[in-house]
């Protein structure tokens, strides 16, 4: 189920060996990790990138997009002359990601595979919220690959009057989770960075969803791209069982959550991720759960970076098996034993739903996602969720489709207001306000 748009697309690779990987990388993938063959998005994307083309890769969450761009990027970097310390050479490979968490995750992967490719590849990670001085030091010592969030990258480019790092050598740019970066209002920064990289660069853009507005941006930064779409747009992976719970009252949600957790608790080897829509709701729900004896922690943009890192590592190690988070955790977070995602507060657009739900059912494992919808409160989000269910070929429950139809009818009659779209929406102010809340 792969569609490719664009001319002269190279043949997909079916094995790692066909992708021309270094021996060390093959061992790392096949023996250590037991990744026996590339995933569909990897098998199509890798040869396109290795042949020097620009690529837009749209594939559902958990389909392995990271390796799809990272392996070609590392090979590209390994083939370039390495910079000398002190000659002010900036990186060759630049990976922009929307969140700090994702930057760290990608950085770890890049270090591991980079070492296996060529032990001299130096990878540096840079994101906001951590002390900038250390990152400046890292960059000054020389970097071949930089994984960063857009805002911090601009700060670093401007620091020490441009002596920290520069974009002169960058020839391979990755915009990972591009839709999210634009969603979060990083669009201007991303464009500012990309437009300052030499035009003969190679550019990759990955995303799980691909809204129309994104397509226009893509056309601006990519040259003759091959567009690779695996599965339907905005679809949830079939390994996730999607359940919708309708409530008549907001207050009924907590009891139902306790019931779900009660069923899950005996097998607490699995992790549970609970999404809410605001920072304060995350902290409140965490407190309520702790009071009921459920070990939980909260994660949102209002916390210090160190606390956020700690929450994620406690969650990954199962020290604290329940994480209550805002959508900040919806992208990129990869926890293998995450079996249950609960949308305690209804996600406010289709893409957000797809990303939240995609935290489970990763890499062929099964998972369940339960979404709470309160009649009269969440109606405006129901049509988007119905679309996501249909796109992933899940039958829409009757009462849900009725709710969706009646909302759409009211909307058309001018009796209801459309939900604000995450992307574009009503300008940067609103995005800024929303960013303060998650
Ligand atoms: P995406 O960015 O598409 O959401 P990731 O790149 O984070 O997905 O990969 C999801 C999971 O799949 C990760 O745990 C990763 O280690 C695993 N994975 C990646 N490639 C393979 C492969 N070829 N075979 C098996 N598992 C893989
Ligand atoms: Mg990813």
């Amino acid at each position: 189920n792969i569609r490719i748009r664009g001319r002269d697309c190279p043949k997909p690779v079916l094995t790692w060996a066909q992708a021309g990987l270094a021996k060390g990388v093959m061992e790392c993938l096949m023996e250590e990790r037991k990744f026996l063959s590339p995933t569909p998005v990897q098998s199509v994307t890798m040869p396109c990138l290795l042949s020097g083309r620009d690529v837009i890769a749209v594939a559902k969450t958990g389909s392995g997009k990271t390796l799809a761009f990272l392996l070609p990027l590392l090979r590209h970097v390994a083939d370039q002359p390495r910079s000398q310390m002190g000659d002010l050479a900036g990186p060759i490979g630049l990976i922009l990601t929307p969140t700090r968490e994702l930057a760290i995750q990608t950085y770890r992967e890049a270090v591991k595979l980079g070492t296996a490719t060529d032990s001299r590849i130096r990878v540096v990670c840079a994101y906001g919220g951590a002390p900038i001085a250390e990152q400046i030091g890292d960059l000054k010592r020389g970097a071949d690959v930089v994984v960063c969030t857009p805002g911090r990258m601009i700060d670093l480019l401007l620091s020490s009057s441009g002596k920290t790092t520069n974009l002169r050598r960058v020839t391979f740019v990755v915009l990972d989770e591009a839709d999210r970066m634009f969603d979060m209002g990083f669009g201007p920064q991303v464009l500012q960075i990309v437009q300052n990289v030499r035009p003969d660069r190679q550019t990759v853009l990955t995303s799980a969803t691909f809204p129309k507005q994104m397509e226009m941006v893509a056309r601006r930064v990519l040259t003759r791209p091959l567009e690779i779409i695996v599965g339907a747009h905005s679809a949830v992976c079939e390994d996730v069982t999607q359940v919708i719970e309708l409530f008549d009252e907001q207050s009924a949600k907590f009891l139902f959550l306790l019931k779900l957790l009660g069923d899950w608790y005996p097998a607490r080897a699995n992790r549970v991720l609970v999404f809410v829509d605001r920072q304060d709701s995350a902290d409140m729900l965490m407190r309520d759960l702790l009071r009921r004896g459920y070990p939980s922690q909260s994660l949102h943009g209002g916390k210090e970076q160190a606390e956020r890192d700690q929450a994620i590592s406690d969650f990954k190690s199962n020290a604290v098996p329940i994480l209550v988070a805002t959508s900040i955790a919806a992208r990129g977070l990869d926890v293998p034993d995450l079996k249950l995602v609960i949308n305690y507060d209804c996600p406010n657009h289709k893409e957000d739903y797809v990303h939240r739900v995609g935290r489970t059912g990763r890499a062929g494992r099964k998972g369940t996602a339960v979404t709470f919808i309160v009649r009269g409160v969440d109606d405006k989000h129901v049509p988007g969720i119905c679309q996501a269910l249909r796109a992933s070929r899940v039958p829409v429950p009757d009462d849900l489709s009725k709710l969706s139809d009646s909302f759409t009818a009211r909307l058309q009659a001018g009796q209801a207001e459309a939900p604000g779209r995450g992307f574009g929406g009503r300008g940067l102010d609103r995005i800024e306000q929303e960013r303060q809340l998650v």
Side-chain angles (χ1 to χ4, degrees):
N1 192 12
I2 299 179
R3 279 181 299 142
I4 300 166
R5 288 211 304 226
R7 283 165 172 271
D8 312 322
C9 178
K11 278 212 180 65
V13 293
L14 299 174
T15 62
W16 294 119
Q18 289 171 345
L21 303 178
K23 189 161 165 284
V25 178
M26 298 263 282
E27 283 169 5
C28 178
L29 293 176
M30 298 182 70
E31 281 156 37
E32 219 173 286
R33 306 261 194 98
K34 307 279 183 264
F35 292 176
L36 300 181
S37 55
T39 64
V41 71
Q42 291 164 356
S43 70
V44 183
T45 307
M46 285 193 300
C48 296
L49 289 174
L50 289 168
S51 70
R53 296 293 298 271
D54 280 8
V55 170
I56 301 171
V58 182
K60 63 196 176 190
T61 53
S63 52
K65 294 188 288 296
T66 315
L67 290 183
F69 66 72
L70 205 50
L71 295 170
L73 179 143
L74 290 168
R75 210 180 94 172
H76 175 102
V77 172
D79 283 346
Q80 315 288 320
R82 218 42 44 82
S83 71
Q84 300 300 311
M85 193 176 148
D87 68 358
L88 282 186
I92 301 166
L94 180 65
I95 305 173
L96 297 175
T97 70
T99 65
R100 308 154 190 188
E101 284 74 16
L102 193 56
I104 295 170
Q105 201 170 284
T106 309
Y107 163 76
R108 295 219 174 100
E109 190 79 278
V111 169
K112 215 178 296 159
L113 293 166
T115 319
T117 309
D118 173 341
S119 54
R120 294 165 309 153
I121 294 182
R122 291 158 304 178
V123 186
V124 169
C125 188
Y127 45 84
I132 195 166
E134 250 171 63
Q135 295 171 3
I136 291 179
D138 287 347
L139 284 167
K140 280 194 169 160
R141 255 169 270 132
D144 302 302
V145 178
V146 173
V147 186
C148 57
T149 53
R152 178 51 62 100
M153 189 63 200
I154 290 186
D155 292 346
L156 287 164
L157 284 165
L158 296 177
S159 68
S160 326
S161 42
K163 290 208 187 70
T164 303
T165 188
N166 60 69
L167 299 172
R168 273 193 295 265
R169 281 204 317 162
V170 175
T171 44
F172 199 117
V173 178
V174 180
L175 311 182
D176 195 17
E177 312 251 355
D179 55 341
R180 178 63 168 172
M181 285 198 283
F182 282 84
D183 225 12
M184 290 171 72
F186 290 140
Q189 279 121 313
V190 172
L191 291 175
Q192 220 176 333
I193 295 172
V194 176
Q195 281 159 357
N196 278 294
V197 176
R198 34 197 286 181
D200 61 353
R201 67 175 180 264
Q202 199 179 350
T203 315
V204 201
L205 185 154
T206 82
S207 193
T209 52
F210 202 53
K212 272 274 171 298
Q213 295 95 322
M214 193 66 242
E215 215 162 316
M216 276 152 21
V217 174
R219 303 274 164 243
R220 278 174 67 187
V221 298
L222 299 150
T223 314
R224 236 165 61 83
L226 289 164
E227 191 177 326
I228 298 166
I229 300 164
V230 181
H233 277 206
S234 300
V236 174
C237 147
E238 62 275 13
D239 291 323
V240 182
T241 307
Q242 303 176 62
V243 181
I244 309 286
E245 287 296 336
L246 280 176
F247 299 93
D248 291 321
E249 307 257 347
Q250 195 84 19
S251 56
K253 294 201 297 190
F254 187 62
L255 278 183
F256 194 82
L257 175 66
L258 291 179
K259 180 179 165 306
L260 284 177
L261 292 179
D263 293 341
W264 155 84
Y265 202 70
R268 58 163 282 192
N270 300 330
R271 259 32 70 72
V272 180
L273 180 56
V274 184
F275 280 109
V276 294
D277 57 5
R278 299 163 55 101
Q279 297 177 0
D280 51 349
S281 336
D283 289 333
M284 254 155 27
L285 187 60
M286 172 193 73
R287 243 172 280 140
D288 290 342
L289 287 174
L290 284 174
R291 239 177 253 143
R292 301 290 176 129
Y294 287 108
S296 40
Q297 207 153 35
S298 67
L299 177 71
H300 55 68
K303 291 196 146 187
E304 293 288 321
Q305 189 56 39
E307 280 181 291
R308 282 164 61 171
D309 295 344
Q310 189 63 43
I312 287 183
S313 76
D314 287 350
F315 187 55
K316 285 192 171 176
S317 70
N318 206 7
V320 181
I322 302 175
L323 188 65
V324 183
T326 59
S327 285
I328 206 165
R331 302 277 174 139
L333 183 67
D334 186 48
V335 180
D337 297 318
L338 208 170
K339 289 285 167 63
L340 180 59
V341 167
I342 299 172
N343 284 314
Y344 189 80
D345 289 331
C346 180
N348 61 21
H349 56 279
K350 184 176 75 179
E351 279 77 24
D352 196 25
Y353 174 82
V354 173
H355 281 286
R356 285 181 177 194
V357 167
R359 290 314 99 209
T360 182
R362 295 174 77 76
R365 297 186 190 86
K366 301 283 177 209
T368 304
V370 186
T371 301
F372 292 6
I373 292 175
V374 183
R375 284 177 204 276
V377 177
D378 300 321
D379 294 9
K380 59 176 178 291
H381 305 313
V382 173
I385 292 177
C386 289
Q387 278 173 24
L389 291 174
R390 281 188 214 107
S392 38
R393 304 217 174 101
V394 174
V396 178
D398 272 350
D399 39 4
L400 195 69
S401 73
K402 269 190 209 131
L403 200 57
S404 168
D405 292 345
S406 83
F407 177 77
T408 312
R410 270 188 290 144
L411 189 66
Q412 280 161 358
Q415 292 159 348
E417 201 187 324
R421 289 272 315 144
F423 184 92
R426 273 159 239 152
L428 283 174
D429 290 351
R430 198 180 54 81
I431 288 170
E432 191 58 40
Q433 278 169 11
E434 283 184 2
R435 227 157 79 190
Q436 302 292 323
L437 294 175
V438 292

